[in-house]
Every structure is written in structure tokens, then in C-alpha cells.
Amino acid sequence: MAKEITFLILFFLSCSVHISLANQNYQSFLHCLYNNIQSSEGNSDIFYTPSNSNYTSFYLSSIRNLRFVNSATTKPLLIIAPTNVSHVQASVVCARENGFSIRVRSGGHDYEGLSYREVDNSRQFVIVDLANLREIDIDVTRGTAWVQAGATLGELYYKISIKTNLYGFPAGICPTVGIGGHISGGGFGTMLRKYGLASDNVLDALLVDSNGDLLHKDSMGEDLFWAMRGGGGTSYGIVVSWKVKLVPVPPIVTVFTINRVMKEGVIDLMSKWQSIAPRLHEDLLIRIVAQQIYEGGERQVQAGFNALFLGECVQLVELMETDFPELGMRRQDCKEMSWIESALYFAFYTSDISKEALLDRGTEPYRYFKAKSDFVKEPIPKSALEKVLSLILDDNAGVIIMDPYGAKMDNISETATPFPHRKGNLYNIQYFTEWTQHDTTTYEERMRWIRNIYDEMEPYVSTNPRAAYINYRDLDLGINELVDGISSYEKGRIWGEKYFKGNFEKLALVKARVDPSDFFWNEQSVPPLFAGDTLLSFYFDA
């Protein structure tokens, strides 16, 4: 046994990581892992370090943003890829006992890379990568599914379609996004006006807490079950599985994309859209993607009106003629299809491909990007829309994506889950810029553009606080500050109330109960707020 443990230690060590055999904590950590994580097929596919030939490819496989793939980014001492839940429990126990922090990765879509990096590179950390935990169990009779956190949205949609055409699930449009993080932050997609967020449709969950215990809805307590459904990933533990409610979908849905440029009255159309999109029938969502195009040899701003209707074209045409005739939507703009084909349509801009495309998880990052977000409560004046859209003509412009709320979102209390952006919000805005050039100048110009347009929008969006969406994570809003090893609540409020508004205090109280040592920490994890049991009970007695 001693010989095998020595071999394992040597296997994990890397010349690029400043660890030596004299580091007793690291040796103890490896002993703990070896004693508690065993696989019938060996551990070569569970543990990865820089000395492993597969380390780099596995590390990159779930990184989506090249901004965080550079020599300045400290890599983890170890990547653990559990193949069962007990491995996750052992990883937590061993890391905590030996003073190592954990980053948890399901799909790797964290916009600021916090699932696989530390911003200031001051802590030794390991990654628990959930990619091997991706089982999906569909129960058509009950209309439910258990989905492990390492599964992607695309894999869930595909598995639903294999079992039934009667159900779908209301989550995002990007198929490579991991279920674990997506639901933890709320998770919205093209059916949010009918069924709300992904997190609004959670029935149960399995979570490994900071003690390594496996908890479910009844054993974790009402407060923790509330907090984990939209309160941000990995503040309270590691979600290993969600039980979700599937939602009914009709046999035929209809989509359309109608593109308009400035000379076709984009400003007037967007102005009208602001007033009617949140009030349309709940079966209809029309989003806008505004971007720069080249037409006739010159730059133009194009607004794409992108829609999903849970019904047939003839019904949609009637609704559009009544509520939004200015768009000029006609019968030939309709494309009727199944719900799963609509998932392909929004993901790949076409439904004429095999649904197996939803199973592609990607292999390595190919672009740099930065995003920011806003919520709009009052229609933006036409003059302001014109000014903002003019910025899309800049050399280094990105895109603006507007997703309408209303309907079901208006009927859920802002305290029902941590996601508070409910009634009174007309729509969400995502500002997004991406690039592929590997140079500092492009990076600076792209970052300058997105921060400039964000500043320009300040007078027209939500205030006190200026709200943001946690799944469009933005470190410009602020980061945690450690005081004696614990995140400062007052510093956390700076960014936390933007994501969660009044729910942030409740989230921090839950954090203090379930993770008082702040083991599950990152630059924007919820900090603990220590208070008496009476105050905590007050929040959850309703």
C-alpha cells in the first residue's frame, strides 16, 4: 500500500506547480483522496495534473473564454473528475481537511471563468469537474427528470426528445451550458414567459455540503433549498443532481426571424417592441438581437426580431396582426417545427441538422469574450435608442440582446427564489462582445466598447440598485474581500445586491448557517452574514 501511495504522489506532482514532496498538506491531501476515491477501472480518468498527458486537453475541454487561457492564469494543482457522487464527497472532505480551496465546473460557461481559475492566483486550488456526472433519467409518466449537474442543456433536450414529444424544459438556448451552473443562477430561455425560469421548475436536488454530507430537499432545510435555486453556483455546496419538472409543449411550434435595418424603421420598431413584448400572449416570445452587418459595402445596424410561439403559424399571424402589425410579419416568415427542432433553431440558426448536434460538448475555447447585463423597467426613449444603436457601428462593436419578460415572470414573487427580477421588468439586456485576435490592442478596444455602451445606458435602466443577471457574471461589479479568511458581507453587498436585490441578505444568512467557514468561496460567492436564529427563522416562516 505504501508503495502504491508513493507512486500516486509522484504521478500528481508537476514541475509547473510550486509544490514539493515536503509539502505535508499536499501529501496528506493525496493520501486522503487515494483512500477515499477508488474506481474499478483505475483512477487515471479521475485525476489530472500537469504531469498527466491528458491534463491540458481535459483542462481546456470545458473552458469557453480565451481571456483566461494565458501564462498568467495559475492552473489547478489537480483536476478531479468524479464518476460517482461519493467521489465528490471525498473531494470536499479531503480538500477542506488539508486547506485547499475548490472550484466546481459543470459546463465551464461562467462568464468570468470562476469555475476554473482564481483571479489573484494567491490560493492553491483544485477543480472538481462534473463532466462525468451526466446521467439523465426521464420519467414521462410523472413529467419529471433527474439530471446530474455535469449534463448539458443540449443533452437534456436531446434525452427528452428521445423519450417523448409531449414535454420540453424551459432553459437556455446554448446547448453546451452545464445544467449545474445554469439552474443555480436561475436560467432563462425562450419559454420563460410561459413557464418561468429553469430554477422555477426544480422539484428536488442533491447537494454535497461543506462537511461532505449528501443532502436532498427534506434534509437540507427550506432555507438552503430556496437559496440554491437561483442564488448562484457553488456558494453553498456542490449540486450533483437536480430533479426538474418537465413542461408540456404542443406538437407544433412556430419560429421566425425578421431582420430590419435602420432605413426600415428599426428605431420605431424597437420602441413599439418595448411596449408590447412583455404584454404579448404567454405562448409568444420575441427577442431582439441588434448587431453590425455589412450591406452594400457599408456598415449598418441590423435588428433581428427572433421569435418562438408555442402553437401553429395561423394563430401566430393573427396575434402579430393584432399586437405588432408594424413588424410586417407574414405567413411565409413562419417556420413550423417540433419543440426539439426549435432548440436546434435557436442554438444553430437552423433546424435542418440532426438533433445529435445537441450532444456536442465542444473541445476547447476558440474566442475571447466579455459580457455585461441590465434590466429595463421603463421604455427607453427613441432618441436614446438611436444613440445606443449608433455605437454598434463602431470598429470594435459587439451585439445587444434583449429578452422580454412579463406573463409568467410577472406572476412569481421576487422573493419566491433568489432571482428577484420579476414583475415590473420589461426586459433584460445582454451586452456581448467577442473576438479571436490574440493581441492586447484588440482586447483593450473591445473592453472599452462594452464598458462605454454600459455607461451610456445608465440613465435608462434599473436603479437602486442597477440590477444585473448572475449568469451573465461581471466582475466589474465588484469582488469579495477576505477578512480573516472570511468574505466581507459589506464588500459583497456591492455586487450582490445588483444580482439579488433584497434577497442578498437572506442568501448571506443561509450561507452563515450551512458554510460558516466560507469553504465554498470564489470572487463572487455569497459571503456569510452571522445573525441569530430568530432572524433567520423570520425570513422563512412564511
Side-chain angles (χ1 to χ4, degrees):
M1 176 65 73
K3 191 173 182 180
E4 292 175 36
I5 293 175
T6 301
F7 173 79
L8 185 70
I9 293 171
L10 293 172
F11 175 78
F12 282 141
L13 295 180
S14 166
C15 60
S16 64
V17 179
H18 301 298
I19 296 291
S20 72
L21 286 173
N23 188 321
Q24 295 301 312
N25 284 350
Y26 191 59
Q27 291 186 56
S28 177
F29 179 47
L30 298 181
H31 277 264
C32 182
L33 290 174
Y34 182 84
N35 288 330
N36 289 280
I37 296 181
Q38 294 291 327
S39 170
S40 60
E41 299 177 359
N43 290 341
S44 61
D45 291 332
I46 298 177
F47 302 120
Y48 299 83
T49 69
S51 62
N52 186 314
S53 61
N54 295 325
Y55 173 87
T56 298
S57 61
F58 191 78
Y59 176 68
L60 293 175
S61 65
S62 292
I63 291 180
R64 310 297 174 184
N65 195 339
L66 282 171
R67 283 173 56 209
F68 312 120
V69 181
N70 55 64
S71 58
T73 301
T74 299
K75 294 181 174 63
L77 299 173
L78 175 67
I79 303 174
I80 306 168
T83 57
N84 64 59
V85 173
S86 69
H87 297 170
V88 179
Q89 295 175 272
S91 299
V92 169
V93 170
C94 294
R96 183 173 180 177
E97 286 180 352
N98 293 283
F100 293 98
S101 65
I102 281 180
R103 296 292 160 120
V104 182
R105 185 167 73 172
S106 57
H109 276 268
D110 186 294
Y111 273 19
E112 295 284 8
L114 299 189
S115 61
Y116 52 83
R117 74 175 183 120
E118 297 237 355
V119 171
D120 65 3
N121 300 323
S122 63
R123 289 188 173 195
Q124 296 174 346
F125 71 100
V126 300
I127 291 175
V128 175
D129 190 299
L130 302 176
N132 290 329
L133 296 179
R134 54 212 270 197
E135 291 184 5
I136 300 171
D137 182 16
I138 308 289
D139 187 334
V140 176
T141 302
R142 292 181 171 83
T144 63
W146 272 105
V147 189
Q148 287 192 309
T152 64
L153 298 183
E155 289 169 340
L156 174 58
Y157 298 162
Y158 177 84
K159 288 292 182 68
I160 293 172
S161 73
I162 293 297
K163 290 280 189 176
T164 178
N165 63 358
L166 300 177
Y167 291 108
F169 187 67
I173 65 174
C174 181
T176 58
V177 167
I179 285 286
H182 186 67
I183 296 180
S184 294
F188 72 80
T190 56
M191 293 197 291
L192 90 161
R193 303 190 68 252
K194 177 75 169 183
Y195 295 115
L197 307 174
S199 59
D200 295 329
N201 292 276
V202 170
L203 301 172
D204 202 345
L206 296 178
L207 175 138
V208 176
D209 70 5
S210 59
N211 297 316
D213 294 329
L214 182 65
L215 307 177
H216 54 77
K217 177 182 177 181
D218 293 335
S219 61
M220 71 177 64
E222 179 185 353
D223 58 343
L224 178 52
F225 187 62
W226 174 85
M228 65 188 293
R229 291 176 294 139
T234 330
S235 285
Y236 307 97
I238 301 178
V239 178
V240 293
S241 192
W242 297 102
K243 183 181 182 181
V244 298
K245 177 176 64 178
L246 304 182
V247 300
V249 294
I252 296 176
V253 304
T254 305
V255 302
F256 70 72
T257 299
I258 296 175
N259 296 316
R260 296 287 186 257
V261 294
M262 295 293 281
K263 64 184 180 183
E264 296 174 303
V266 161
I267 299 299
D268 289 338
L269 289 172
M270 291 181 68
S271 182
K272 177 64 180 288
W273 173 89
Q274 291 183 102
S275 65
I276 60 99
R279 296 188 291 103
L280 292 171
H281 193 282
E282 64 179 9
D283 288 340
L284 175 59
L285 177 140
I286 305 174
R287 66 202 297 260
I288 293 177
V289 180
Q291 61 188 324
Q292 182 185 122
I293 63 166
Y294 275 86
E295 189 174 274
E298 62 181 18
R299 294 177 186 170
Q300 296 197 51
V301 175
Q302 174 184 277
F305 294 81
N306 196 201
L308 171 69
F309 176 63
L310 299 175
E312 298 180 4
C313 180
V314 62
Q315 301 165 286
L316 177 56
V317 170
E318 291 177 1
L319 285 173
M320 293 297 290
E321 287 177 347
T322 301
D323 295 321
F324 200 6
E326 295 86 350
L327 188 59
M329 184 263 189
R330 300 165 297 174
R331 174 68 181 83
Q332 52 265 45
D333 295 315
C334 287
K335 293 184 179 180
E336 292 184 335
M337 57 188 63
S338 65
W339 171 77
I340 193 63
E341 288 172 327
S342 77
L344 291 165
Y345 179 85
F346 281 93
F348 303 108
Y349 308 103
T350 179
S351 59
D352 298 327
I353 57 175
S354 168
K355 64 183 178 183
E356 277 69 28
L358 295 168
L359 301 177
D360 184 359
R361 297 176 67 96
T363 55
E364 60 183 42
Y366 64 91
R367 63 178 180 176
Y368 303 81
F369 69 83
K370 170 68 179 177
K372 300 178 79 67
S373 63
D374 267 317
F375 287 87
V376 177
K377 291 177 171 286
E378 300 290 340
I380 298 173
K382 289 183 181 181
S383 58
L385 286 174
E386 190 166 5
K387 181 179 181 182
V388 169
L389 291 185
S390 70
L391 297 176
I392 296 179
L393 294 174
D394 289 355
D395 288 341
N396 296 284
V399 302
I400 302 175
I401 303 168
M402 302 174 173
D403 289 286
Y405 279 31
K408 180 70 171 181
M409 293 295 284
D410 282 353
N411 296 326
I412 300 174
S413 165
E414 67 177 30
T415 60
T417 72
F419 184 96
H421 317 291
R422 307 287 187 167
K423 189 173 183 178
N425 289 281
L426 301 179
Y427 57 94
N428 167 268
I429 300 178
Q430 179 181 190
Y431 315 96
F432 189 90
T433 182
E434 66 177 19
W435 63 101
T436 56
Q437 300 92 325
H438 303 272
D439 63 89
T440 302
T441 299
T442 302
Y443 168 83
E444 292 175 347
E445 289 174 345
R446 290 284 180 165
M447 298 295 275
R448 187 180 302 116
W449 178 85
I450 198 167
R451 287 167 176 159
N452 180 46
I453 197 168
Y454 184 76
D455 290 344
E456 290 287 343
M457 288 292 289
E458 185 171 10
Y460 313 110
V461 297
S462 60
T463 59
N464 299 318
R466 183 176 182 178
Y469 176 38
I470 182 65
N471 278 359
Y472 297 155
R473 193 188 297 279
D474 181 7
L475 293 187
D476 291 351
L477 302 180
I479 63 173
N480 282 331
E481 179 179 300
L482 294 174
V483 178
D484 297 327
I486 304 290
S487 299
S488 161
Y489 174 74
E490 290 304 317
K491 289 292 184 180
R493 287 181 60 191
I494 296 172
W495 59 264
E497 291 182 352
K498 293 178 173 65
Y499 291 139
F500 304 114
K501 298 172 64 176
N503 291 336
F504 183 68
E505 182 178 349
K506 304 177 192 179
L507 289 168
L509 287 165
V510 177
K511 172 74 169 184
R513 181 181 76 79
V514 303
D515 185 22
S517 66
D518 206 14
F519 173 71
F520 289 109
W521 175 91
N522 67 45
E523 287 76 7
Q524 282 190 349
S525 57
V526 174
L529 174 60
F530 298 98
D533 292 337
T534 302
L535 181 58
L536 189 61
S537 298
F538 169 79
Y539 279 124
F540 295 98
D541 278 346

